[in-house]
Amino acid sequence: MLVLLLVVAGIVWLNRDSLFPAEAPTISADDPVALCLAERAKGIDEMRAQGTIDEGQATLFKSRAEALCQAQHGRSGPPSLPAQ
């Protein structure tokens, strides 16, 4: 019985991000940089979930997306989204 509980606890621990997702950052509707970055980060996260890119590539793409959004819309807005 103890082994079964340890196995279940291990499975829950390994899948904790899927079972208990972190809160999404609040994005102001009037901040074009944050909206642009959120849209691009969503696409990057989808590619990561599909296995198209790895974690290192996702981090690189998010940093490039941040630079692109700031260049297109100015440097206003909240700090960059954390890499997941």
Side-chain angles (χ1 to χ4, degrees), residues 4-14:
L4 178 64
L5 288 174
L6 289 174
V7 169
V8 170
I11 291 171
V12 169
W13 178 257
L14 292 173

Side-chain angles (χ1 to χ4, degrees), residues 7-75:
V7 169
V8 170
I11 291 171
V12 169
W13 178 257
L14 292 173
N15 293 299
R16 67 189 177 273
D17 292 334
S18 298
L19 296 171
F20 310 106
E23 290 184 30
T26 304
I27 298 172
S28 174
D30 61 344
D31 187 357
V33 174
L35 293 173
C36 171
L37 187 55
E39 181 180 332
R40 294 192 183 275
K42 180 181 174 187
I44 294 167
D45 290 339
E46 288 173 2
M47 288 190 298
R48 176 69 181 109
Q50 294 170 353
T52 306
I53 60 175
D54 63 26
E55 187 63 35
Q57 289 171 316
T59 302
L60 177 63
F61 291 172
K62 284 183 180 181
S63 68
R64 290 179 178 177
E66 180 178 3
L68 175 68
C69 290
Q70 288 177 349
Q72 288 179 341
H73 302 287
R75 294 203 171 265

